[in-house]
Amino acid sequence: PPRPKAASVLPGTLGVATADDRTMLQFRSLLHRHLARPEAAHFSYGDPQGSAGLRAEIAAYLRSARGVRCEAGQILLTSGTQQALDLVIRATLAPGDPVWIEDPGYPGARAVMEGAGLQLVGVPVDAEGLEVALGEQRAPGARAAYVTPSHQFPLGVTLSMRRRLALIDWARRAGAWILEDDYDSEFRHAGPPLAAMQGMDAAGRVIYIGTFSKALFPGLRIGYAVLPEPLLGPVLRLRSRTDRSPPTLAEGALADFLREGHFAAHLRRARRRVKAARDALVAGLRAGPLTVEPPDQGLHLIAGLPEGMEDTALVPRAAEAGLGVRALSSMCLGPARQGLVVGFSGFAPEVLESAARRFARSLA
């Protein structure tokens, strides 16, 4: 049967699942396998680091697909990117510590850092990604930097090689941590996924964070952090006090999903669907005065606005046309940039194109 869609989720909304019916049937079968022959781990509190089996499968995947240098013992399973960020920040930083954050940037990371009482230092993003030299000018003694180097959120640019090397060199000299959020690197539409920055870091200053929410579905609630050895103990102790362990039933099914090749097959199908959806969304948005280019990676795009239009005013107009968008200006710390952030995962191409075309024509 087709997967249900929440009536309140408009086409274009960010973060909608990419899993298709085949993926869901396979995952249901794997869950049934573990329920039919339940392991003892399901009946007692588990390892706060997460099951060894799933951590081994994730480590193997990250080494081959992302160029991450890691072993299963470095991986902490979490409920997603937000929990990983929260645990790492609270275990390694103190209120008042200055932290670089991309500007514009991911609102979820900003919320975690503000909640921890950190001093946010917005660092502008240009065509090469985070402007590392400006970060050093504004806060050379920052204790950490949060970046999305493979596909910057929300602008979609890639951190250049020279900037990656400069950032790693700064972190080594400053004794700072780099929080690398690799949230949707599986979805590269032109060529293979870009290698993670963590694999370039010989000094052990990069904390690599990933999630299955984008590649599979958010309801799975499984993400992970690859921790440098000195951080493993402090982060695990904090996790043990707040959340005893990840869900063992879902861990077992996901480990099998990875081990048996279902995840790789799912990604091949998902990339084809997402690319078709991207092209349909672009075609629909181009029916009006918006400036749109199809991105080479990821699950969202930026629509540029004509002079004089304000993105915050267009959000409700898009909703009236049946399209879910976010205002780019709401993701800025410094001077507001204008634009609309629109997702293209989880919806049929014709649905996205129709909604985008209605909205774009309403602006003409």
Side-chain angles (χ1 to χ4, degrees):
R3 291 181 293 117
K5 290 284 197 311
S8 61
V9 179
L10 294 174
T13 300
L14 299 173
V16 179
T18 62
D20 60 8
D21 294 342
R22 183 174 175 185
T23 291
M24 298 308 292
L25 285 170
Q26 288 169 335
F27 205 81
R28 183 176 72 181
S29 175
L30 295 172
L31 284 170
H32 182 267
R33 176 194 297 175
H34 284 266
L35 284 170
R37 297 186 295 275
E39 301 173 4
H42 302 327
F43 301 98
S44 61
Y45 293 111
D47 185 343
Q49 194 170 348
S51 76
L54 179 54
R55 288 189 284 111
E57 294 302 324
I58 292 174
Y61 167 72
L62 292 178
R63 287 193 298 265
S64 64
R66 304 295 300 120
V68 173
R69 298 192 292 187
C70 69
E71 301 297 333
Q74 293 175 258
I75 293 177
L76 170 74
L77 299 183
T78 69
S79 65
T81 297
Q82 288 299 108
Q83 187 185 36
L85 285 171
D86 182 63
L87 289 171
V88 166
I89 285 170
R90 288 196 290 138
T92 59
L93 302 174
D97 280 352
V99 176
W100 296 0
I101 188 167
E102 296 167 325
D103 186 16
Y106 174 48
R110 179 176 170 180
V112 172
M113 294 176 188
E114 287 177 337
L118 302 180
Q119 177 191 337
L120 302 190
V121 180
V123 181
V125 174
D126 63 13
E128 288 190 70
L130 183 89
E131 296 191 55
V132 179
L134 271 180
E136 289 207 64
Q137 289 176 19
R138 294 181 178 185
R143 304 308 306 141
Y146 169 82
V147 289
T148 51
S150 294
H151 183 233
Q152 200 274 335
F153 187 88
L155 296 183
V157 299
T158 301
L159 190 63
S160 67
M161 182 59 69
R162 71 184 185 96
R163 295 256 179 99
R164 292 178 185 226
L165 293 172
L167 183 58
I168 291 171
D169 180 63
W170 163 78
R172 178 188 57 78
R173 289 184 283 106
W177 299 107
I178 299 171
L179 282 63
E180 179 179 9
D181 184 351
D182 205 21
Y183 64 102
D184 70 355
S185 62
E186 292 87 357
F187 295 97
R188 184 155 180 84
H189 311 303
L194 300 169
M197 191 167 64
Q198 190 266 9
M200 304 167 52
D201 171 31
R205 306 309 305 177
V206 177
I207 302 163
Y208 179 89
I209 296 171
T211 180
F212 289 100
S213 292
K214 303 293 188 298
L216 284 170
F217 50 99
L220 186 59
R221 305 315 304 141
I222 296 182
Y224 49 87
V226 179
L227 301 171
E229 186 64 33
L231 299 187
L232 190 58
V235 174
L236 268 179
R237 286 191 292 274
L238 180 60
R239 201 275 170 73
S240 299
R241 294 199 300 270
T242 59
D243 180 21
R244 289 193 177 186
S245 67
T248 55
L249 182 61
E251 284 181 330
L254 182 55
D256 290 349
F257 195 78
L258 288 163
R259 185 183 306 112
E260 296 173 12
H262 302 305
F263 185 59
H266 158 76
L267 286 179
R268 288 193 293 271
R269 297 193 305 273
R271 288 184 189 116
R272 290 193 295 269
R273 291 196 310 276
V274 164
K275 188 174 182 180
R278 176 202 67 177
D279 294 343
L281 177 63
V282 169
L285 291 173
R286 284 177 172 172
L290 303 171
T291 303
V292 188
E293 293 298 329
D296 289 335
Q297 183 167 322
L299 302 172
H300 74 273
L301 56 76
I302 299 288
L305 309 182
E307 181 126 7
M309 285 191 179
E310 292 191 4
D311 54 10
T312 52
L314 295 184
V315 173
R317 289 184 61 177
E320 290 174 5
L323 186 68
V325 304
R326 298 275 299 274
L328 176 60
S329 63
S330 70
M331 302 178 185
C332 298
L333 272 174
R337 301 193 195 191
Q338 294 293 312
L340 298 175
V341 187
V342 195
F344 47 82
S345 64
F347 295 96
E350 61 271 17
V351 172
L352 276 167
E353 182 170 5
S354 177
R357 191 174 298 276
R358 282 195 303 272
F359 170 58
R361 285 178 173 171
S362 76
L363 303 178

